[in-house]
Amino acid sequence: MLAVGLYRATGPVLSWDEVTTSDVARWTGAQLWALIQNDDAVFGPYYFFMHFWTSMVGDSVLDLRLPSIIMMAAAVGVTAELGRRLFSPLTGFVAGLMLCLLPNISRYAAEARPYAFACFLSVLAMLLLYRALEQPGVLRWTTYGLAVLGLGLSHIVALATLGAHVAVLALHLRATRKWTVAAGWATAVAGALLLLAPLALLGVRQQHLQVSWIEPLTWETVRAAPADIAGTVEPGWLIAGLALAAAGRPVRRLAEIALLAAAPLIVVALVSVLVAPLWVARYLLVVLAPVALLAAVATVGRPGVRRPLRAVRVGAVLAALAFAALPGLTAVRGDDIKNGSDYRGAASIIESGQRPGDGIVYMAHSRAQRAGIDYYLRGDTGRPRDLTLERPAAQVASLIAEEYPDAVPRVTGVSRVWLFVYGTHDDPTWARLDLRTLLQTGYRRAGLWHLSRATLALYVRGGAA
Protein backbone atom coordinates (compact mmCIF):
# COMPACT_ATOMS: atom_id res chain seq x y z
CA MET A 1 0.00 0.00 0.00
CA LEU A 2 2.92 2.30 0.62
CA ALA A 3 4.11 1.69 -2.95
CA VAL A 4 0.59 2.14 -4.32
CA GLY A 5 0.14 5.39 -2.40
CA LEU A 6 3.45 6.82 -3.53
CA TYR A 7 2.86 6.03 -7.21
CA ARG A 8 2.15 9.37 -8.96
CA ALA A 9 1.33 10.88 -5.57
CA THR A 10 2.31 14.34 -6.80
CA GLY A 11 0.48 14.06 -10.14
CA PRO A 12 -2.96 15.42 -9.20
CA VAL A 13 -3.31 19.13 -8.50
CA LEU A 14 -4.02 19.89 -4.86
CA SER A 15 -7.75 19.88 -4.14
CA TRP A 16 -9.54 22.90 -2.71
CA ASP A 17 -9.39 21.27 0.72
CA GLU A 18 -5.71 20.46 0.34
CA VAL A 19 -4.80 24.06 -0.50
CA THR A 20 -6.59 25.00 2.71
CA THR A 21 -4.33 22.55 4.53
CA SER A 22 -1.27 24.03 2.83
CA ASP A 23 -2.39 27.52 3.82
CA VAL A 24 -3.20 26.95 7.50
CA ALA A 25 -0.14 24.75 7.99
CA ARG A 26 1.95 27.92 7.53
CA TRP A 27 0.09 29.81 10.26
CA THR A 28 1.42 30.24 13.77
CA GLY A 29 0.10 28.15 16.65
CA ALA A 30 -1.76 31.19 18.01
CA GLN A 31 -3.42 31.81 14.65
CA LEU A 32 -4.48 28.16 14.41
CA TRP A 33 -5.93 28.30 17.91
CA ALA A 34 -7.90 31.43 17.00
CA LEU A 35 -9.17 29.73 13.83
CA ILE A 36 -10.64 26.69 15.55
CA GLN A 37 -12.61 28.95 17.90
CA ASN A 38 -14.43 30.30 14.83
CA ASP A 39 -14.30 27.71 12.04
CA ASP A 40 -13.20 24.18 11.08
CA ALA A 41 -12.64 23.11 14.69
CA VAL A 42 -13.06 19.40 13.94
CA PHE A 43 -10.04 19.60 11.63
CA GLY A 44 -8.04 21.60 14.18
CA PRO A 45 -5.96 18.67 15.50
CA TYR A 46 -4.99 17.75 11.93
CA TYR A 47 -4.06 21.36 11.16
CA PHE A 48 -1.82 21.50 14.23
CA PHE A 49 -0.19 18.24 13.20
CA MET A 50 0.44 19.53 9.66
CA HIS A 51 1.81 22.79 11.07
CA PHE A 52 4.51 20.89 12.96
CA TRP A 53 5.04 18.36 10.15
CA THR A 54 5.64 20.97 7.43
CA SER A 55 7.85 23.05 9.71
CA MET A 56 10.13 20.02 10.11
CA VAL A 57 9.85 18.35 6.68
CA GLY A 58 8.74 20.95 4.16
CA ASP A 59 5.63 21.88 2.21
CA SER A 60 6.06 20.30 -1.20
CA VAL A 61 3.11 18.38 -2.60
CA LEU A 62 4.72 15.11 -1.51
CA ASP A 63 5.48 16.55 1.93
CA LEU A 64 1.82 17.51 2.36
CA ARG A 65 0.52 14.12 1.26
CA LEU A 66 3.13 11.83 2.81
CA PRO A 67 1.50 11.57 6.28
CA SER A 68 -1.74 10.35 4.69
CA ILE A 69 0.15 7.88 2.51
CA ILE A 70 1.88 6.46 5.57
CA MET A 71 -1.38 6.32 7.54
CA MET A 72 -3.22 4.52 4.75
CA ALA A 73 -0.39 1.99 4.46
CA ALA A 74 -0.64 1.46 8.21
CA ALA A 75 -4.43 1.08 7.92
CA VAL A 76 -4.01 -1.69 5.34
CA GLY A 77 -1.36 -3.38 7.47
CA VAL A 78 -3.50 -3.31 10.61
CA THR A 79 -6.48 -4.60 8.62
CA ALA A 80 -4.39 -7.54 7.47
CA GLU A 81 -3.29 -8.18 11.07
CA LEU A 82 -6.91 -8.01 12.25
CA GLY A 83 -7.85 -10.54 9.58
CA ARG A 84 -4.99 -12.83 10.61
CA ARG A 85 -6.00 -12.74 14.27
CA LEU A 86 -9.72 -13.25 13.72
CA PHE A 87 -9.73 -15.59 10.72
CA SER A 88 -6.47 -16.73 9.13
CA PRO A 89 -3.21 -15.34 7.74
CA LEU A 90 -4.49 -15.80 4.19
CA THR A 91 -7.69 -13.93 4.97
CA GLY A 92 -5.74 -10.97 6.33
CA PHE A 93 -3.42 -11.01 3.34
CA VAL A 94 -6.28 -11.06 0.84
CA ALA A 95 -8.14 -8.28 2.69
CA GLY A 96 -5.03 -6.10 2.56
CA LEU A 97 -4.60 -6.69 -1.17
CA MET A 98 -8.26 -5.87 -1.79
CA LEU A 99 -7.86 -2.53 -0.04
CA CYS A 100 -4.83 -1.76 -2.19
CA LEU A 101 -7.02 -2.21 -5.27
CA LEU A 102 -9.86 0.13 -4.28
CA PRO A 103 -9.61 3.51 -6.09
CA ASN A 104 -10.65 5.68 -3.14
CA ILE A 105 -8.04 4.10 -0.89
CA SER A 106 -5.42 5.35 -3.35
CA ARG A 107 -7.11 8.71 -3.80
CA TYR A 108 -7.36 9.54 -0.10
CA ALA A 109 -3.96 8.09 0.64
CA ALA A 110 -2.62 10.90 -1.55
CA GLU A 111 -4.82 13.59 0.02
CA ALA A 112 -3.56 16.16 2.51
CA ARG A 113 -6.59 15.69 4.74
CA PRO A 114 -7.18 13.47 7.81
CA TYR A 115 -9.32 10.72 6.21
CA ALA A 116 -6.42 8.23 6.00
CA PHE A 117 -5.72 8.88 9.69
CA ALA A 118 -9.33 7.95 10.47
CA CYS A 119 -9.05 4.75 8.40
CA PHE A 120 -5.94 3.71 10.33
CA LEU A 121 -7.25 4.56 13.80
CA SER A 122 -10.62 2.89 13.22
CA VAL A 123 -9.06 -0.53 12.55
CA LEU A 124 -6.38 0.02 15.18
CA ALA A 125 -9.04 0.75 17.81
CA MET A 126 -10.88 -2.45 16.90
CA LEU A 127 -7.68 -4.50 17.05
CA LEU A 128 -6.80 -3.02 20.45
CA LEU A 129 -10.34 -3.72 21.68
CA TYR A 130 -9.94 -7.41 20.85
CA ARG A 131 -6.56 -7.46 22.61
CA ALA A 132 -8.07 -5.83 25.71
CA LEU A 133 -10.97 -8.29 25.75
CA GLU A 134 -8.57 -11.25 25.45
CA GLN A 135 -6.38 -10.08 28.33
CA PRO A 136 -7.85 -7.09 30.20
CA GLY A 137 -5.47 -4.77 31.96
CA VAL A 138 -4.82 -1.09 32.63
CA LEU A 139 -2.22 -0.79 29.88
CA ARG A 140 -4.38 -2.41 27.22
CA TRP A 141 -7.47 -0.38 28.11
CA THR A 142 -5.35 2.76 28.11
CA THR A 143 -3.95 2.10 24.64
CA TYR A 144 -7.45 1.32 23.40
CA GLY A 145 -8.76 4.57 24.89
CA LEU A 146 -5.92 6.51 23.25
CA ALA A 147 -6.84 4.96 19.89
CA VAL A 148 -10.46 6.06 20.35
CA LEU A 149 -9.25 9.53 21.28
CA GLY A 150 -7.06 9.66 18.18
CA LEU A 151 -9.98 8.47 16.06
CA GLY A 152 -12.15 11.34 17.27
CA LEU A 153 -9.32 13.84 16.79
CA SER A 154 -8.78 12.65 13.23
CA HIS A 155 -12.44 12.90 12.24
CA ILE A 156 -15.31 13.21 14.65
CA VAL A 157 -17.75 11.36 12.34
CA ALA A 158 -15.50 8.29 12.48
CA LEU A 159 -16.60 7.79 16.10
CA ALA A 160 -19.69 6.16 14.58
CA THR A 161 -17.58 2.98 14.55
CA LEU A 162 -18.04 2.84 18.33
CA GLY A 163 -21.46 1.36 17.67
CA ALA A 164 -19.67 -1.81 16.56
CA HIS A 165 -17.45 -1.72 19.66
CA VAL A 166 -20.55 -1.75 21.86
CA ALA A 167 -21.88 -4.80 20.01
CA VAL A 168 -18.53 -6.63 20.26
CA LEU A 169 -18.44 -5.92 23.99
CA ALA A 170 -22.01 -7.15 24.43
CA LEU A 171 -21.26 -10.41 22.62
CA HIS A 172 -18.15 -10.90 24.73
CA LEU A 173 -20.05 -10.30 27.97
CA ARG A 174 -22.77 -12.70 26.89
CA ALA A 175 -20.20 -15.42 26.38
CA THR A 176 -17.94 -14.79 29.40
CA ARG A 177 -20.06 -12.94 32.02
CA LYS A 178 -16.92 -10.99 33.03
CA TRP A 179 -18.56 -7.70 34.01
CA THR A 180 -15.29 -6.11 35.11
CA VAL A 181 -14.44 -5.97 31.42
CA ALA A 182 -17.40 -3.68 30.87
CA ALA A 183 -16.06 -1.32 33.52
CA GLY A 184 -12.65 -1.21 31.82
CA TRP A 185 -14.19 -0.50 28.46
CA ALA A 186 -16.54 2.17 29.83
CA THR A 187 -13.68 3.92 31.63
CA ALA A 188 -11.48 3.94 28.51
CA VAL A 189 -14.24 5.23 26.23
CA ALA A 190 -15.58 7.75 28.75
CA GLY A 191 -12.09 9.21 29.19
CA ALA A 192 -11.64 9.56 25.43
CA LEU A 193 -15.09 11.10 24.91
CA LEU A 194 -14.58 13.50 27.80
CA LEU A 195 -11.41 14.82 26.20
CA LEU A 196 -13.18 15.06 22.85
CA ALA A 197 -16.21 16.89 24.25
CA PRO A 198 -14.84 20.45 23.76
CA LEU A 199 -13.98 19.66 20.15
CA ALA A 200 -17.42 18.17 19.54
CA LEU A 201 -19.16 21.19 21.11
CA LEU A 202 -17.17 23.56 18.91
CA GLY A 203 -18.11 21.45 15.91
CA VAL A 204 -21.80 21.67 16.78
CA ARG A 205 -21.55 25.44 17.18
CA GLN A 206 -19.85 25.70 13.78
CA GLN A 207 -22.24 23.33 12.03
CA HIS A 208 -23.65 26.08 9.80
CA LEU A 209 -20.15 26.71 8.45
CA GLN A 210 -18.84 23.16 8.17
CA VAL A 211 -21.67 20.92 6.97
CA SER A 212 -24.32 23.27 5.59
CA TRP A 213 -23.24 22.36 2.05
CA ILE A 214 -24.11 18.64 2.48
CA GLU A 215 -27.22 17.53 0.59
CA PRO A 216 -30.04 15.71 2.43
CA LEU A 217 -29.80 11.93 2.40
CA THR A 218 -31.93 10.23 -0.28
CA TRP A 219 -32.50 6.66 -1.41
CA GLU A 220 -30.48 7.42 -4.53
CA THR A 221 -27.53 8.42 -2.34
CA VAL A 222 -27.80 5.20 -0.33
CA ARG A 223 -28.01 3.08 -3.50
CA ALA A 224 -24.90 4.77 -4.86
CA ALA A 225 -22.97 4.23 -1.61
CA PRO A 226 -20.86 1.21 -2.71
CA ALA A 227 -19.61 3.05 -5.78
CA ASP A 228 -19.17 6.41 -4.04
CA ILE A 229 -17.28 5.02 -1.06
CA ALA A 230 -15.07 2.61 -3.01
CA GLY A 231 -14.40 5.15 -5.76
CA THR A 232 -16.01 3.62 -8.85
CA VAL A 233 -19.01 1.44 -9.61
CA GLU A 234 -17.50 -1.92 -10.56
CA PRO A 235 -15.05 -2.53 -7.69
CA GLY A 236 -17.52 -1.02 -5.22
CA TRP A 237 -20.31 -3.44 -6.06
CA LEU A 238 -17.91 -6.37 -6.50
CA ILE A 239 -16.41 -6.05 -3.03
CA ALA A 240 -19.83 -5.33 -1.52
CA GLY A 241 -21.20 -8.48 -3.15
CA LEU A 242 -18.30 -10.55 -1.86
CA ALA A 243 -18.87 -9.13 1.62
CA LEU A 244 -22.52 -10.16 1.51
CA ALA A 245 -21.49 -13.62 0.31
CA ALA A 246 -19.56 -14.08 3.55
CA ALA A 247 -22.89 -14.38 5.37
CA GLY A 248 -22.98 -18.07 4.47
CA ARG A 249 -19.64 -18.81 6.15
CA PRO A 250 -19.82 -20.38 9.65
CA VAL A 251 -17.22 -18.08 11.18
CA ARG A 252 -17.91 -16.74 14.68
CA ARG A 253 -16.31 -13.32 14.21
CA LEU A 254 -18.21 -12.45 11.03
CA ALA A 255 -21.08 -10.74 12.83
CA GLU A 256 -18.69 -8.47 14.72
CA ILE A 257 -16.83 -7.40 11.57
CA ALA A 258 -20.14 -6.93 9.77
CA LEU A 259 -21.21 -4.59 12.58
CA LEU A 260 -17.96 -2.63 12.16
CA ALA A 261 -18.90 -2.12 8.51
CA ALA A 262 -22.57 -1.38 9.13
CA ALA A 263 -22.45 0.79 12.27
CA PRO A 264 -20.99 3.94 10.63
CA LEU A 265 -23.47 3.68 7.76
CA ILE A 266 -26.43 3.28 10.12
CA VAL A 267 -25.34 5.99 12.56
CA VAL A 268 -24.51 8.57 9.88
CA ALA A 269 -27.75 7.79 8.04
CA LEU A 270 -29.82 8.26 11.20
CA VAL A 271 -28.06 11.52 12.07
CA SER A 272 -28.52 12.73 8.50
CA VAL A 273 -32.26 12.05 8.62
CA LEU A 274 -33.02 13.09 12.20
CA VAL A 275 -30.52 15.88 12.93
CA ALA A 276 -28.52 17.29 10.01
CA PRO A 277 -27.11 15.87 6.75
CA LEU A 278 -23.69 14.26 7.31
CA TRP A 279 -23.60 11.59 4.60
CA VAL A 280 -20.44 12.22 2.57
CA ALA A 281 -18.63 9.32 0.91
CA ARG A 282 -15.17 10.31 2.17
CA TYR A 283 -16.49 10.52 5.73
CA LEU A 284 -17.39 6.82 5.43
CA LEU A 285 -14.09 5.45 4.15
CA VAL A 286 -13.70 3.69 7.52
CA VAL A 287 -16.16 1.01 6.37
CA LEU A 288 -13.87 -0.21 3.58
CA ALA A 289 -11.52 -2.15 5.88
CA PRO A 290 -14.23 -4.33 7.50
CA VAL A 291 -15.93 -4.77 4.12
CA ALA A 292 -12.61 -6.00 2.71
CA LEU A 293 -12.28 -8.43 5.62
CA LEU A 294 -15.74 -9.85 4.92
CA ALA A 295 -14.96 -10.10 1.21
CA ALA A 296 -11.69 -11.87 2.01
CA VAL A 297 -13.51 -14.42 4.20
CA ALA A 298 -15.88 -15.19 1.31
CA THR A 299 -12.96 -15.43 -1.12
CA VAL A 300 -10.77 -17.70 0.99
CA GLY A 301 -13.67 -20.02 1.81
CA ARG A 302 -13.87 -22.91 4.25
CA PRO A 303 -10.73 -24.54 5.69
CA GLY A 304 -11.45 -27.88 4.00
CA VAL A 305 -10.88 -26.59 0.46
CA ARG A 306 -7.72 -27.95 -1.17
CA ARG A 307 -4.86 -25.49 -1.48
CA PRO A 308 -4.61 -25.51 -5.30
CA LEU A 309 -8.34 -24.83 -5.64
CA ARG A 310 -8.18 -22.12 -3.02
CA ALA A 311 -5.21 -20.48 -4.74
CA VAL A 312 -7.07 -20.49 -8.06
CA ARG A 313 -10.17 -18.97 -6.49
CA VAL A 314 -8.24 -16.28 -4.60
CA GLY A 315 -6.22 -15.44 -7.69
CA ALA A 316 -9.34 -15.24 -9.85
CA VAL A 317 -11.17 -12.95 -7.43
CA LEU A 318 -8.19 -10.62 -7.01
CA ALA A 319 -7.67 -10.54 -10.77
CA ALA A 320 -11.35 -9.68 -11.31
CA LEU A 321 -11.17 -6.93 -8.70
CA ALA A 322 -7.98 -5.54 -10.21
CA PHE A 323 -9.52 -5.55 -13.70
CA ALA A 324 -12.66 -3.82 -12.42
CA ALA A 325 -10.65 -1.25 -10.45
CA LEU A 326 -8.00 -0.44 -13.07
CA PRO A 327 -9.89 2.44 -14.76
CA GLY A 328 -10.59 3.99 -11.37
CA LEU A 329 -7.02 3.50 -10.17
CA THR A 330 -5.83 5.28 -13.30
CA ALA A 331 -8.41 8.06 -12.97
CA VAL A 332 -7.57 8.95 -9.36
CA ARG A 333 -4.03 9.72 -10.47
CA GLY A 334 -5.15 12.13 -13.18
CA ASP A 335 -3.96 15.72 -13.02
CA ASP A 336 -7.42 17.25 -12.45
CA ILE A 337 -9.24 14.44 -10.62
CA LYS A 338 -9.58 16.23 -7.29
CA ASN A 339 -12.16 18.83 -6.32
CA GLY A 340 -11.21 22.39 -7.12
CA SER A 341 -9.65 24.39 -9.93
CA ASP A 342 -6.39 23.83 -11.75
CA TYR A 343 -4.38 26.11 -9.47
CA ARG A 344 -1.11 24.64 -10.74
CA GLY A 345 -1.92 25.35 -14.38
CA ALA A 346 -3.07 28.88 -13.62
CA ALA A 347 0.04 29.56 -11.54
CA SER A 348 2.26 28.28 -14.36
CA ILE A 349 0.60 30.63 -16.87
CA ILE A 350 0.91 33.58 -14.49
CA GLU A 351 4.53 32.80 -13.69
CA SER A 352 5.51 32.62 -17.36
CA GLY A 353 3.63 35.77 -18.35
CA GLN A 354 3.89 38.08 -15.35
CA ARG A 355 5.63 41.45 -15.30
CA PRO A 356 6.68 43.75 -12.46
CA GLY A 357 3.71 45.71 -11.16
CA ASP A 358 1.07 43.11 -12.12
CA GLY A 359 -1.92 42.60 -9.87
CA ILE A 360 -4.34 39.72 -9.43
CA VAL A 361 -8.04 39.58 -8.54
CA TYR A 362 -10.00 36.52 -7.42
CA MET A 363 -13.66 35.72 -7.24
CA ALA A 364 -15.02 37.56 -4.22
CA HIS A 365 -14.73 35.76 -0.86
CA SER A 366 -13.06 32.70 -2.40
CA ARG A 367 -11.57 30.31 0.14
CA ALA A 368 -9.48 28.11 -2.12
CA GLN A 369 -8.55 30.20 -5.17
CA ARG A 370 -6.34 32.59 -3.26
CA ALA A 371 -4.81 29.76 -1.21
CA GLY A 372 -4.22 27.67 -4.36
CA ILE A 373 -2.40 30.37 -6.32
CA ASP A 374 -0.49 31.44 -3.20
CA TYR A 375 0.70 27.86 -2.74
CA TYR A 376 1.86 27.24 -6.29
CA LEU A 377 3.55 30.67 -6.45
CA ARG A 378 4.88 30.52 -2.88
CA GLY A 379 8.52 30.75 -3.98
CA ASP A 380 7.96 33.46 -6.60
CA THR A 381 8.98 36.86 -5.21
CA GLY A 382 7.80 38.64 -8.36
CA ARG A 383 4.25 37.24 -8.36
CA PRO A 384 1.30 39.60 -8.93
CA ARG A 385 0.08 41.65 -5.98
CA ASP A 386 -3.25 40.62 -4.46
CA LEU A 387 -5.20 43.79 -5.21
CA THR A 388 -8.37 43.23 -3.17
CA LEU A 389 -6.78 41.65 -0.09
CA GLU A 390 -7.19 43.77 3.05
CA ARG A 391 -6.23 41.21 5.70
CA PRO A 392 -5.06 37.60 5.17
CA ALA A 393 -7.19 34.76 6.49
CA ALA A 394 -4.68 34.06 9.25
CA GLN A 395 -5.18 37.55 10.66
CA VAL A 396 -8.97 37.31 10.81
CA ALA A 397 -9.14 33.75 12.25
CA SER A 398 -11.05 32.48 9.24
CA LEU A 399 -10.46 30.32 6.18
CA ILE A 400 -11.57 33.25 4.01
CA ALA A 401 -9.45 36.39 3.81
CA GLU A 402 -10.93 39.83 4.42
CA GLU A 403 -11.23 41.89 1.25
CA TYR A 404 -11.68 45.62 0.68
CA PRO A 405 -15.41 46.42 0.46
CA ASP A 406 -14.83 48.55 -2.65
CA ALA A 407 -12.50 46.85 -5.10
CA VAL A 408 -12.60 49.48 -7.85
CA PRO A 409 -10.14 51.95 -6.25
CA ARG A 410 -7.76 49.08 -5.50
CA VAL A 411 -7.63 48.03 -9.18
CA THR A 412 -7.81 51.42 -10.88
CA GLY A 413 -4.43 52.46 -12.21
CA VAL A 414 -2.83 49.01 -12.17
CA SER A 415 -1.27 48.48 -15.59
CA ARG A 416 -1.98 44.72 -15.87
CA VAL A 417 -4.59 42.73 -13.97
CA TRP A 418 -4.93 38.95 -13.81
CA LEU A 419 -8.46 37.69 -13.08
CA PHE A 420 -8.91 34.13 -11.78
CA VAL A 421 -12.47 32.84 -11.30
CA TYR A 422 -14.35 29.56 -10.94
CA GLY A 423 -16.02 27.91 -13.92
CA THR A 424 -15.66 28.31 -17.67
CA HIS A 425 -16.46 31.81 -18.92
CA ASP A 426 -15.96 33.54 -22.26
CA ASP A 427 -16.30 36.79 -20.32
CA PRO A 428 -14.94 36.21 -16.79
CA THR A 429 -15.87 39.73 -15.67
CA TRP A 430 -19.37 38.33 -15.04
CA ALA A 431 -17.84 36.73 -11.95
CA ARG A 432 -16.74 40.17 -10.69
CA LEU A 433 -19.62 42.47 -11.48
CA ASP A 434 -18.18 45.18 -9.25
CA LEU A 435 -15.13 45.37 -11.56
CA ARG A 436 -16.86 44.62 -14.85
CA THR A 437 -17.28 48.21 -16.04
CA LEU A 438 -13.71 49.15 -15.10
CA LEU A 439 -12.17 46.12 -16.81
CA GLN A 440 -14.29 46.47 -19.96
CA THR A 441 -13.84 50.21 -20.45
CA GLY A 442 -10.41 50.93 -19.04
CA TYR A 443 -8.64 47.74 -20.09
CA ARG A 444 -8.31 45.41 -23.03
CA ARG A 445 -8.26 41.67 -22.57
CA ALA A 446 -4.84 40.39 -23.59
CA GLY A 447 -5.33 36.73 -22.73
CA LEU A 448 -7.97 34.16 -21.85
CA TRP A 449 -7.30 30.62 -20.62
CA HIS A 450 -9.90 27.96 -19.84
CA LEU A 451 -8.54 25.53 -17.26
CA SER A 452 -10.16 22.70 -15.35
CA ARG A 453 -13.08 24.27 -13.44
CA ALA A 454 -11.58 27.75 -13.74
CA THR A 455 -10.96 30.67 -16.11
CA LEU A 456 -7.89 32.90 -16.08
CA ALA A 457 -7.75 36.22 -17.95
CA LEU A 458 -5.22 39.02 -18.33
CA TYR A 459 -6.34 42.63 -18.72
CA VAL A 460 -3.99 45.38 -19.87
CA ARG A 461 -4.78 49.04 -19.22
CA GLY A 462 -5.73 51.18 -22.22
CA GLY A 463 -8.60 50.71 -24.66
CA ALA A 464 -11.91 48.88 -24.55
CA ALA A 465 -11.89 45.11 -24.34
Side-chain angles (χ1 to χ4, degrees), residues 10 17 25 60 132 189 202 211 230 249 286 334 343 379-380 397 399 406 414 421 460:
T10 61
D17 285 334
S60 70
V189 172
L202 278 173
V211 297
R249 300 290 187 269
V286 293
Y343 314 110
D380 185 355
L399 296 178
D406 186 1
V414 178
V421 299
V460 179

Side-chain angles (χ1 to χ4, degrees), residues 275-298:
V275 183
L278 275 182
W279 188 284
V280 180
R282 60 183 178 272
Y283 294 178
L284 295 166
L285 292 176
V286 293
V287 308
L288 290 178
V291 166
L293 283 170
L294 294 173
V297 170

Side-chain angles (χ1 to χ4, degrees), residues 378-428:
R378 65 193 183 282
D380 185 355
T381 57
R383 64 185 182 181
R385 180 166 51 96
D386 193 336
L387 299 176
T388 61
L389 176 65
E390 183 173 12
R391 289 199 296 166
Q395 293 183 12
V396 294
S398 171
L399 296 178
I400 301 176
E402 187 176 289
E403 299 180 349
Y404 289 101
D406 186 1
V408 173
R410 315 302 307 180
V411 177
T412 301
V414 178
S415 59
R416 294 176 13 124
V417 179
W418 297 88
L419 178 61
F420 187 50
V421 299
Y422 285 123
T424 302
H425 306 275
D426 291 328
D427 180 8

Side-chain angles (χ1 to χ4, degrees), residues 104 131 134 145 176 220 245 253 294 303 336 388 390 394:
N104 264 358
R131 284 173 54 81
E134 290 168 2
T176 64
E220 289 73 18
R253 297 292 196 183
L294 294 173
D336 302 318
T388 61
E390 183 173 12

Side-chain angles (χ1 to χ4, degrees), residues 248-260:
R249 300 290 187 269
V251 182
R252 185 173 63 87
R253 297 292 196 183
L254 278 179
E256 298 170 355
I257 298 301
L259 286 169
L260 185 61

